[in-house]
Amino acid sequence: MANAQTIARKPGRGLLVFKWTLLGPLFGLLLFILPAFLLQLYFSFHSWTIYLGSWWDAEFAGLGVFRDVLTDSRFWWAALRSLIFASLSTLGCFVAGFALAMAMHRPFRGHSLFYAVFILPMLTVPVVIAYTFEMLLFQRGPINGILSTILMTNVNVTWLAQPPIAVFTVIMLEIWNWTPFVFIIMLAGLSSLPPELDEAAQVLGASRWRIFSEVQLPLLRPVIMLALILRFLEAMGEFPKTWALLQGGPGSATETVPVYLFLTTWQYFHISRGAAMSYLVLIFMILIVLLGIRLLRREKQTIDAIHAKPGAGE
Amino acid sequence: MNRRTKRRIAAAFRFGFLGASLFAVGFPIYWMIITSFKPDNEWFTWPPIYWSENWTLDNYRVVWLGIQARITAQEAFTMQKPLQALKHSLALALISTTLSVAFGTLIAYGVSRYRILSDRRMFNLLMLRMIPPIVVAAPLTLYYSALNLLDTLTGLVIVYVITTIPYTVWMTKSFIDEIPHEMEQAAEILGASRWQTIWEVIFPLIRSGVVATFLFILILTWSEYLLALILSKVDVVTLPVQLSKYEGTTEGRVYGYQAALAVGVTLPLIVIGCFIRKHLVRGFTFGMVKR
Amino acid sequence: MKKARLSRRSFLKGAMATAVTGPWVLRFRGVAEAGPLEDRIIAAAKKAGPADLNGMIWSLYYRNMKRLSDEFKEKAGVGVKDIQDLSIFVIPQRAMAEAVSRSPKIDFFHIDSNMIPSLASAGLIEPLDGYMAEVGYKLEMLANFPSFMKYKGKTYGIPTDGNVHIQYVRKDLAENPEEQKKFSDKYGKPLAFPKTWEDSLQIAEHFHRPDKNLLGYAGLRNRANGVTWWYMNFYSAGGFPFNDDLEPTINTPAGEYAMDIYLRHKKVSHPEAPNWGTPQMIPQFTQGNAATGQYWDGTARQIESDPKSKVKGKFLYGIVPGSTFSGKLVHRSISSPLAAVLVNRYSPRKRQAALMTLYWGTLSNSIEIVTHPTWVFHDPWHAGHMTHPKVIERYSAPAMDAIAKSMQITTPPIYLTGHIEFQDVLGKHIAEAYIGQITAKQALTQTEAAWRKLIAQIGKARLKEDLVSYKAAMPTVDLPS
C-alpha cells in the first residue's frame, strides 16, 4: 500500500498546509451542510408539523417522535418492501450482470457493439425509464404484444395494476436499469484474473465448472462483494422510477421506505416524523454499510496481499 | 458427443443468451426512439405499431422549439421551457461535476500519497453517498431558504458536489495508486513543487481516468431528480424535472412528446457513454481489482 | 429564522397599511362603483404600483389566463413574469413546501381549494376580503358554492375551474330499443337514466362488453383519485366522516355501504383501473369505449366540442346517482380539485397578486377563460356562466343543466387542516381494498385509526373550529330542483 514514508520530502508546516489544502474544500462543504443535519436532529426530537406555528417554537418531545415511528406499522411494512425490493433487484442485477460478463469476457466479432448496447440502460435517466416502460407495459401495449406473438396465446397481463405483479415490474425495472453497473464491475474482475491459473487447471484436467467454482469464483469474491453492497445500498434509496410509475400504488404494493419518507415529509408535512424516520433509516443503512465495509476491507486486504509485489510499498 | 459439438452447443447457448439480452436491453430504447418519430395516431394502438411508415419530426419541433401543432393539447407545450431547462441542466451538471472531480482528485492524491484519510475514513466517505437525498431534503429547504439559496444553481451545485465526491475520490484514487512513486521522486529531485508535481506529473498520467470519472459523475448529476424537484422553483429548471411535468394531459398521455423530450435528455449521456466505455471498466472497480 | 421574522414584520406593516388606507378607499367607493368592475381593479392595481408576479400554476391551466395577464400588465402594470409549471395534483405538496420555507418568491398559487384550511393554518395565504371590498368584487356562485373558498369566515381564493362530477350515459346505447328490451327482460324495469347507485351499476353491468372494447363503467380507481368517487357514495348514504367531537365516523353502516358500492364497480371497470388516471380514462369517454360513468364536467365539453371526439351528441347528462340508504333519496356530487387562485401572504407583491386574481375572476374575463377558443381545462363556476350562451355552446344545454343542478348538491372532500393526509390515508386504504390487499371493513377501521392519530397531532380543538367551515360547505338540498 502506498505510504507517506515513500516520499522523502521534508515534513513540516508546509506539508501540513498542503494536506489541509487538499482536504479543505471537502471540509468546507461538509461544514456548510452541517446545519441542515443539526436541524434534522432538532426536528427528530421536537414535535412539529407545519400547522403548529413556527418551527423554533416546537415542543420538545424527547424520544416521543422516534417511538411514534417505531410503532407505526406502515413504516415497518415499507421497510419490509424496501428490503424485498433491494434484495431481489440486487440479486437479479448480479445474476444478469455476471452472466453477461461471462458471456462477454472473451472477445468476438461485434463485441464492441454488444458492449455499447449493454451499458445503455445505466446511461438512461431514471424518470425516462419510468415513462418509457409505462408506454411498454399497458395491457394493450408492446410488451404484451410481443409476448403474445412469442407464446402464441393472448397475453393479457396487467403489469401495473396487481400488487405482486407491480412489485415484480418495479424490480425488473431496477434490474434493467442497473445490470450494466454489475456487468462492468464483473467484466473488470474477470479480466483481472491471471490466465495462467485457468490454463494450469485445464492442463490438470479440471472441468469448466470446477475451474469456475473453485478457481475463478474465490478470486472474484471481493469484486462480487463490492457489486452486491453498492447495488443493495443504491436500491434501498431508489425513488424516481417507483414514484413516477406507481406513486406507491396499486394499493400500497410499492410503498417503499423512500416513498413513505417522501409522503411523510412532502405530502403530510410531518417534518418531525420524517426527520426521526430518516435518522432510523440512516442508522439502519450505516449498520449495513459498516457490515459491508468490514467485509470489503477484509477482501481488499486479501487482494492487496495477493498482488503485493516484492519490494513495492513497505 | 465429442469436444467439438460440445463447444458448438456452448457457443450457441452463449450467443442465444447474448442475443436475447441485446433484445431486452435494446427494445425499450428502440421503442422510445421510434415513438418520438411517430405521428400522434400511432402512439398508442392495438396491435402496437412496431415500425412506423409515417415518420415525422413534429414531436421534436413541438417539444424543443415550441412550435404549435394541430392537436389542441400540444399548445400547452409551448409554455414549457425545454431549452432553458437544457441550459440549466448542462450548467448544473458541468459545474458540479468539474468541482467534484477537482476536489475529489486532490483528496485522492492526498490519500494515495500522504494518507490524509485513513482507510476507515475512506470507507466512511462512501457513506456520504449512501444517505438517501430525501433524508435531508426537508431541513435543507429551511436552511437554504434562510441563506437565499433556494431556486439557485449554487444551492444545487453544493448538494451535487457533496453527494458525488465519494465516488470521485474512490475512482480517481484507483488510478493514482497505479502510478509508481519514482515519478514524483524524480520530479522532486528536479525541483518541482508539490502543486507542480500534481499538475505536471500526476495529472497527465491519470488523464484518461479523470475523464472516465468526470463522465460517470456527469451521468449522476445529469439525471438527478428528487433534489432538483425540491430545491428548484422558477429560476432554475432541470430536464428530469421538466420531463415529469409532461404527465397528465387530458388527451391521454402525450407519448410522442414525452419520447421526443426523453430522447433529448438521454442522447447526450449515450454519446458520452460510447466515448468512455473503455475507461468505465477500469474506473468502476474502486481499487478492488489490480492489474 | 431572521428572514421569517422580517417577513412577519413586513406583513404587519402591510396589514397596517391596509387598515389605514382601507377606510379611505371605502369612502370613495361610491364614486368607484360607477365604472365596471374591471376598471376599478385596474385603477387599484395602478395605484399599487407595477409588479412582475411569479405563480405556481400548471401551464395547461395558465394558457387560457395568459392573454388576460398580458392585458392587465399593459393596462395596470401588473402581470405574470414566470410560472412554476406543475401538475394540479402536485401543486398542493409544493405549496405546502412554500409554507415551510415561507419564501416570498411565489406570489400566487393555482391550487385545489380544498387546501385552503391547511395553507391558512400554515400561515401561507392571504385573505382576499379586504381587496374584494375595496374594488367591490363579489363571489357570485350558485348555492353555497362560495363557502368552498372560505375558511373561518374569510375568503381565500377566487376559482377559475369549478369542477363538479356529473353522470354520463351513452344516449345511443341507452335509447336503442333492442337494448331497452334486453335490459327490461333481465332486470324487470325499464332502462332509464339512473337515479341510484344500484340503478347505475345495473346499466353498467348490462353494457359491460370487454370483448367488444366497451367498458360498462369508467371512473377512476387509482390511489390518488379513486377516493373522490368514494366520497359521493359515502355522502349520499348520509355519511359524514366526523361527528361533532371529531371522532371518525366512517366505520359506520354508511361507510360500509359506500365501500360496498365502490367495490361492486370493479367487475364493470377496466382491469387496469387501479393504475389509471385521467390521461387514460378520459379517452375512454371521447373514443366511445365507455357506456356510463361519473366524471368531471369538463369531459362533457371534450365530448361535445373537441374535434377529435367520436361521440359528439351521443351522451346523456344528469346529476350523479344518489342513494336511499339513509331513508330518503340523497344526491351528492363532489368538487375536487376545485381549482382556485390563492395569494402568498409572505409576498411583498401580494396586493398586486390579489388584484390580478380578482381580474381573472370577473364575469366577462372568466367567461373568456372558460370558453377559450381551443381546448381548456377550466370549467364553469360563476353563476353567470350557467346561462351564458357562449358557455352553453361549448358544453351543450343538457350538460350545462346537469352542471348547474350539481352545484346545489356538490360537496368538498375532507375540508380540514391536514387535508392531504386525511385524504391520502383514506385513499390508500380504499385502493388497498379495491385490489384485495385488505377487506372493506379493514379499510374503514384502519383509516379511522390513522385519522385518530392525525387528529391528536394536529389538535382536536383546532380541527373542531375547522369543522364549522367544512360543514358550511356541505349542501342543504338532497335533490336539486
Side-chain angles (χ1 to χ4, degrees):
Chain A
M1 186 88 207
N3 189 310
Q5 276 102 52
T6 48
I7 290 178
R9 215 183 273 275
K10 54 181 184 296
R13 252 185 100 228
L15 181 64
L16 206 65
V17 170
F18 177 69
K19 283 181 181 175
W20 277 103
T21 325
L22 296 181
L23 271 180
L26 179 66
F27 272 98
L29 284 172
L30 289 180
L31 271 179
F32 175 82
I33 214 78
L34 188 66
F37 281 91
L38 293 179
L39 208 55
Q40 183 87 330
L41 204 59
Y42 168 88
F43 280 131
S44 57
F45 289 101
H46 290 74
S47 183
W48 189 67
T49 83
I50 177 161
Y51 316 114
L52 302 177
S54 301
W55 61 265
W56 51 88
D57 298 330
E59 195 182 319
F60 182 72
L63 289 171
V65 189
F66 284 96
R67 204 166 40 234
D68 249 20
V69 173
L70 287 173
T71 54
D72 179 6
S73 62
R74 216 171 143 185
F75 174 69
W76 291 108
W77 276 111
L80 184 67
R81 283 186 203 108
S82 268
L83 281 176
I84 292 173
F85 172 80
S87 338
L88 290 184
S89 68
T90 305
L91 195 69
C93 277
F94 176 70
V95 171
F98 198 6
L100 277 182
M102 292 292 282
M104 293 284 289
H105 176 38
R106 265 163 302 142
F108 51 89
R109 215 186 321 160
H111 183 274
S112 58
L113 172 80
F114 276 83
Y115 184 88
V117 174
F118 286 155
I119 61 167
L120 281 185
M122 197 175 78
L123 306 175
T124 315
V125 177
V127 183
V128 169
I129 295 179
Y131 289 145
T132 304
F133 272 88
E134 196 197 305
M135 295 195 279
L136 293 166
L137 287 169
F138 270 118
Q139 195 185 32
R140 305 204 129 191
I143 286 194
N144 277 346
I146 290 171
L147 287 179
S148 300
T149 320
I150 294 175
L151 302 174
M152 317 268 269
T153 55
N154 195 9
V155 178
N156 255 332
V157 186
T158 51
W159 295 99
L160 300 172
Q162 280 167 296
I165 300 178
V167 173
F168 172 78
T169 308
V170 286
I171 291 174
M172 287 310 285
L173 248 65
E174 182 75 0
I175 294 175
W176 189 86
N177 193 179
W178 286 110
T179 294
F181 183 81
V182 181
F183 165 63
I184 290 174
I185 291 184
M186 293 315 296
L187 206 56
L190 281 174
S191 63
S192 74
L193 291 180
E196 309 87 48
L197 278 178
D198 197 18
E199 282 156 23
Q202 244 166 359
V203 169
L204 290 174
S207 69
R208 288 220 59 80
W209 172 250
R210 280 196 63 191
I211 296 176
F212 173 71
S213 65
E214 286 172 30
V215 179
Q216 294 182 323
L217 213 53
L219 281 173
L220 284 173
R221 254 182 48 199
V223 197
I224 293 174
M225 289 306 299
L226 174 81
L228 288 180
I229 292 169
L230 286 182
R231 201 72 283 294
F232 183 83
L233 289 170
E234 296 261 342
M236 285 297 286
E238 206 293 316
F239 176 76
K241 290 193 292 292
T242 319
W243 183 256
L245 202 56
L246 293 155
Q247 295 100 44
S252 55
T254 56
E255 195 178 274
T256 54
V257 167
V259 172
Y260 189 41
L261 250 175
F262 183 81
L263 284 172
T264 308
T265 315
W266 295 107
Q267 296 219 341
Y268 305 163
F269 289 88
H270 293 303
I271 310 283
S272 286
R273 191 132 48 95
M277 209 184 288
S278 55
Y279 268 109
L280 289 172
V281 174
L282 202 59
I283 290 167
F284 179 68
M285 297 284 268
I286 287 174
L287 285 180
I288 296 181
V289 174
L290 287 180
L291 187 78
I293 285 173
R294 271 180 72 113
L295 291 171
L296 266 182
R297 283 179 68 182
R298 222 175 47 208
E299 299 292 353
K300 192 160 161 36
Q301 276 155 10
T302 332
I303 273 286
D304 285 341
I306 291 173
H307 288 270
K309 288 175 211 140
E314 268 120 309
Chain B
M1 218 181 342
N2 61 21
R3 223 185 156 87
R4 213 160 133 194
T5 27
K6 241 181 174 171
R7 203 182 281 163
R8 272 200 190 142
I9 291 171
F13 195 74
R14 179 175 167 213
F15 284 103
F17 172 69
L18 283 175
S21 309
L22 195 68
F23 181 75
V25 169
F27 182 71
I29 292 170
Y30 164 78
W31 193 259
M32 173 177 88
I33 294 172
I34 196 167
T35 306
S36 72
F37 288 108
K38 281 182 186 174
D40 64 321
N41 56 348
E42 293 182 7
W43 292 343
F44 185 49
T45 55
W46 184 259
I49 294 170
Y50 296 101
W51 178 256
S52 177
E53 302 277 304
N54 313 303
W55 284 52
T56 166
L57 281 172
D58 279 355
N59 301 328
Y60 287 89
R61 275 203 284 267
V62 168
V63 167
W64 289 98
L65 304 177
I67 288 170
Q68 299 201 2
R70 262 156 284 122
I71 311 171
T72 41
Q74 281 174 330
E75 286 171 58
F77 291 87
T78 61
M79 303 293 309
Q80 313 267 359
K81 297 176 263 191
L83 291 176
Q84 195 193 338
L86 179 68
K87 214 170 74 191
H88 287 168
S89 272
L90 273 177
L92 247 179
L94 287 175
I95 296 171
S96 48
T97 307
T98 310
L99 289 178
S100 172
V101 171
F103 296 161
T105 313
L106 290 180
I107 293 169
Y109 178 75
V111 174
S112 175
R113 294 304 193 254
Y114 298 97
R115 307 204 66 170
I116 52 175
L117 292 177
S118 64
D119 271 9
R120 175 183 293 274
R121 291 231 168 85
M122 274 296 279
F123 282 107
N124 287 350
L125 190 64
L126 258 190
M127 252 156 54
L128 211 55
R129 174 70 202 169
M130 299 315 161
I131 302 168
I134 310 178
V135 168
V136 280
L140 200 59
T141 330
L142 278 174
Y143 180 51
Y144 267 23
S145 144
L147 296 178
N148 257 334
L149 279 176
L150 275 182
D151 202 18
T152 61
L153 286 177
T154 323
L156 277 171
V157 165
I158 291 171
V159 201
Y160 284 181
V161 172
I162 292 176
T163 51
T164 54
I165 224 171
Y167 275 169
T168 51
V169 175
W170 271 85
M171 288 176 79
T172 49
K173 180 172 171 288
S174 68
F175 296 108
I176 297 174
D177 278 348
E178 285 171 20
I179 299 171
H181 299 259
E182 290 80 16
M183 304 291 290
E184 287 140 281
Q185 282 158 358
E188 196 196 336
I189 290 163
L190 292 173
S193 75
R194 288 197 180 90
W195 291 103
Q196 270 175 325
T197 312
I198 294 182
W199 187 245
E200 286 166 23
V201 179
I202 301 294
F203 185 73
L205 287 171
I206 57 164
R207 195 185 286 149
S208 76
V210 170
V211 170
T213 312
F214 182 87
L215 296 172
F216 177 62
I217 302 299
L218 197 69
I219 292 170
L220 292 179
T221 49
W222 177 262
S223 35
E224 205 284 329
Y225 170 66
L226 184 82
L227 287 168
L229 176 76
I230 285 167
L231 299 177
S232 72
K233 287 179 197 169
V234 286
D235 295 345
V236 177
V237 206
T238 74
L239 279 174
V241 176
Q242 181 94 110
L243 184 68
S244 69
K245 288 175 196 166
Y246 279 69
E247 64 185 298
T249 53
T250 355
E251 294 239 344
R253 271 231 206 271
V254 273
Y255 297 112
Y257 305 142
Q258 215 161 278
L261 194 70
V263 169
V265 174
T266 316
L267 207 60
L269 288 190
I270 290 183
V271 171
I272 289 165
C274 293
F275 242 148
I276 60 158
R277 61 196 153 83
K278 292 221 174 67
H279 302 292
L280 269 182
V281 176
R282 286 183 64 217
F284 252 107
T285 52
F286 295 80
M288 295 303 279
V289 173
K290 299 250 165 123
R291 273 152 210 271
Chain C
M1 194 148 72
K2 205 166 150 201
K3 231 177 130 326
R5 280 209 188 114
L6 249 175
S7 58
R8 194 157 47 182
R9 193 184 307 152
S10 66
F11 163 67
L12 280 175
K13 232 161 59 190
M16 236 157 69
T18 356
V20 172
T21 54
W24 183 81
V25 172
L26 281 179
R27 224 182 312 146
F28 285 85
R29 246 184 81 190
V31 184
E33 252 169 15
L37 182 55
E38 283 84 1
D39 292 345
R40 295 197 300 269
I41 298 175
I42 287 169
K46 259 189 190 159
K47 206 159 14 165
D52 291 317
L53 307 172
N54 290 318
M56 193 184 276
I57 181 170
W58 201 1
S59 52
L60 296 174
Y61 272 110
Y62 180 64
R63 202 160 57 85
N64 307 346
M65 297 151 71
K66 186 172 187 312
R67 196 202 67 79
L68 286 164
S69 41
D70 292 347
E71 179 185 283
F72 201 52
K73 175 81 192 164
E74 200 178 292
K75 288 186 177 164
V78 175
V80 178
K81 185 183 104 215
D82 228 332
I83 61 165
Q84 183 176 6
D85 180 11
L86 298 170
S87 137
I88 185 87
F89 298 111
V90 178
I91 286 182
Q93 291 91 277
R94 304 306 306 150
M96 290 293 284
E98 290 295 299
V100 172
S101 65
R102 301 187 175 180
S103 145
K105 186 136 202 168
I106 305 288
D107 302 294
F108 67 87
F109 306 90
H110 185 260
I111 193 174
D112 179 1
S113 68
N114 297 303
M115 287 300 296
I116 287 177
S118 307
L119 292 173
S121 297
L124 180 71
I125 49 177
E126 170 89 348
L128 301 177
D129 303 271
Y131 307 102
M132 288 161 68
E134 189 185 322
V135 297
Y137 181 96
K138 275 198 197 69
L139 261 186
E140 288 167 70
M141 298 160 87
L142 291 182
N144 63 347
F145 216 25
S147 48
F148 284 66
M149 298 292 133
K150 285 184 184 153
Y151 174 65
K152 294 190 178 170
K154 289 181 189 151
T155 309
Y156 283 96
I158 304 295
T160 75
D161 175 13
N163 279 322
V164 287
H165 270 59
I166 59 174
Q167 174 79 15
Y168 295 81
V169 177
R170 273 283 287 281
K171 191 176 178 179
D172 52 335
L173 295 176
E175 289 177 357
N176 180 335
E178 226 172 279
E179 298 285 358
Q180 282 179 333
K181 185 172 176 322
K182 263 197 241 161
F183 184 88
S184 59
D185 286 352
K186 191 169 171 196
Y187 296 99
K189 61 182 189 188
L191 174 50
F193 198 85
K195 279 203 173 63
T196 63
W197 298 110
E198 289 79 2
D199 293 346
S200 169
L201 266 167
Q202 282 173 347
I203 301 173
E205 206 176 272
H206 177 72
F207 287 115
H208 190 57
R209 289 154 203 176
D211 48 322
K212 292 196 178 113
N213 206 5
L214 184 66
L215 276 180
Y217 178 78
L220 296 183
R221 287 296 182 269
N222 63 359
R223 181 167 153 174
N225 304 104
V227 59
T228 309
W229 274 251
W230 185 87
Y231 283 120
M232 292 191 286
N233 303 146
F234 179 61
Y235 286 141
S236 66
F240 190 75
F242 306 96
N243 67 14
D244 288 341
D245 198 38
L246 227 72
E247 258 304 294
T249 48
I250 57 164
N251 188 10
T252 52
E256 282 166 27
Y257 167 85
M259 281 310 293
D260 180 51
I261 292 285
Y262 185 85
L263 297 181
R264 271 162 69 187
H265 282 87
K266 190 171 178 174
K267 60 176 188 292
V268 287
S269 293
H270 195 278
E272 283 181 290
N275 192 49
W276 273 11
T278 316
Q280 289 84 23
M281 202 57 87
I282 290 185
Q284 306 298 321
F285 281 100
T286 56
Q287 298 306 300
N289 301 337
T292 73
Q294 300 90 39
Y295 224 80
W296 284 285
D297 47 353
T299 305
R301 182 201 47 238
Q302 246 175 313
I303 289 169
E304 300 303 334
S305 42
D306 185 329
K308 287 198 333 189
S309 160
K310 290 184 181 161
V311 283
K312 186 174 158 71
K314 285 192 188 164
F315 264 97
L316 295 168
Y317 306 101
I319 56 169
V320 294
S323 169
T324 53
F325 186 79
S326 60
K328 54 181 177 176
L329 183 62
V330 178
H331 289 269
R332 289 289 175 260
S333 178
I334 184 139
S335 296
S336 168
L338 171 48
V341 184
L342 276 50
V343 173
N344 184 358
R345 209 187 76 180
Y346 299 113
S347 157
R349 301 163 295 269
K350 61 182 172 184
R351 189 175 170 73
Q352 287 91 333
L355 292 166
M356 178 83 246
T357 304
L358 296 181
Y359 193 69
W360 279 320
T362 66
L363 178 60
S364 64
N365 287 347
S366 67
I367 285 175
E368 173 179 333
I369 292 173
V370 170
T371 63
H372 197 274
T374 53
W375 166 90
V376 282
F377 257 172
H378 306 268
D379 294 320
W381 57 272
H382 198 287
H385 294 163
M386 305 302 152
T387 50
H388 198 278
K390 255 176 94 180
V391 185
I392 293 175
E393 187 205 318
R394 304 273 289 152
Y395 283 78
S396 82
M400 252 351 255
D401 182 55
I403 293 169
K405 276 189 179 144
S406 297
M407 304 242 155
Q408 296 176 40
I409 49 155
T410 194
T411 58
I414 295 172
Y415 194 65
L416 297 175
T417 299
H419 163 76
I420 302 184
E421 188 175 0
F422 276 115
Q423 172 138 318
D424 189 73
V425 167
L426 176 61
K428 167 182 172 275
H429 288 120
I430 291 176
E432 282 174 328
Y434 189 79
I435 56 169
Q437 283 180 314
I438 55 174
T439 65
K441 189 74 185 167
Q442 278 171 329
L444 297 173
T445 50
Q446 288 178 16
T447 305
E448 285 204 344
W451 278 2
R452 277 192 200 101
K453 251 168 82 183
L454 177 60
I455 290 167
Q457 251 158 12
I458 299 180
K460 223 173 207 183
R462 148 175 300 207
L463 285 170
K464 270 187 191 168
E465 289 174 37
D466 288 11
L467 204 57
V468 179
S469 306
Y470 184 5
K471 285 200 165 157
M474 289 300 284
T476 49
V477 186
D478 293 336
L479 186 69
S481 45

